[in-house]
């Protein structure tokens, strides 16, 4: 996620809840409309995050999706 990890935690969280263009990175309560989930679940390695040939393990993706579904609390 371009630069988010280099921010302080409050700024990073605000950016996470913000938009990339018009697309929300994290839409609280709605994993399937959240850009980060689209990036994590993509089958296109050129689009998928994190970068590289191997998707994030399913358990970790599920944790992130559950966190978003439950409201993405800080
Ligand atoms: C689970 C971990 C990660 C997630 C969920 C993630 C998510 C995202 C998202 C949603 C974007 C779209 C642009 C934006 O929202 O600002 C993005 C872009 C980007 N990410 Fe990640 N990212 C992850 C890990 C990484 C890592 C480890 C790197 C570098 C080693 C990285 C490098 C980049 C770069 C360079 C871009 C901008 C270029 C592009 O759109 O391809 N990301 N990431």
């Amino acid at each position: 996620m371009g630069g988010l990890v280099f921010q302080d935690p409050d700024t990073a969280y605000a950016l996470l809840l913000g938009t990339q263009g018009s697309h929300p990175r994290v839409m609280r309560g709605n994993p399937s409309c959240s850009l980060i989930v689209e990036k994590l679940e993509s089958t296109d390695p050129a689009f998928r995050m994190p970068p590289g040939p191997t998707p994030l393990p399913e358990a970790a993706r599920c944790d992130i999706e559950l966190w978003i579904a439950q409201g993405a609390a800080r």
Side-chain angles (χ1 to χ4, degrees):
M1 233 171 299
L4 292 191
V5 292
F6 302 115
Q7 309 291 334
D8 70 86
D10 289 336
T11 305
Y13 183 68
L15 288 169
L16 203 52
L17 294 187
T19 57
Q20 168 65 15
S22 59
H23 198 155
R25 291 189 176 102
V26 167
M27 187 184 285
R28 284 172 159 153
N30 197 335
S32 60
C33 287
S34 297
L35 177 61
I36 74 162
V37 173
E38 291 177 32
K39 300 278 269 184
L40 290 171
E41 299 292 347
S42 176
T43 55
D44 174 5
F47 178 79
R48 188 175 56 220
M49 283 284 154
T54 312
L56 203 67
E58 186 178 28
R61 286 183 274 129
C62 287
D63 282 347
I64 293 168
E65 289 171 39
L66 182 60
W67 172 71
I68 294 172
Q70 293 177 335
R74 168 84 159 84

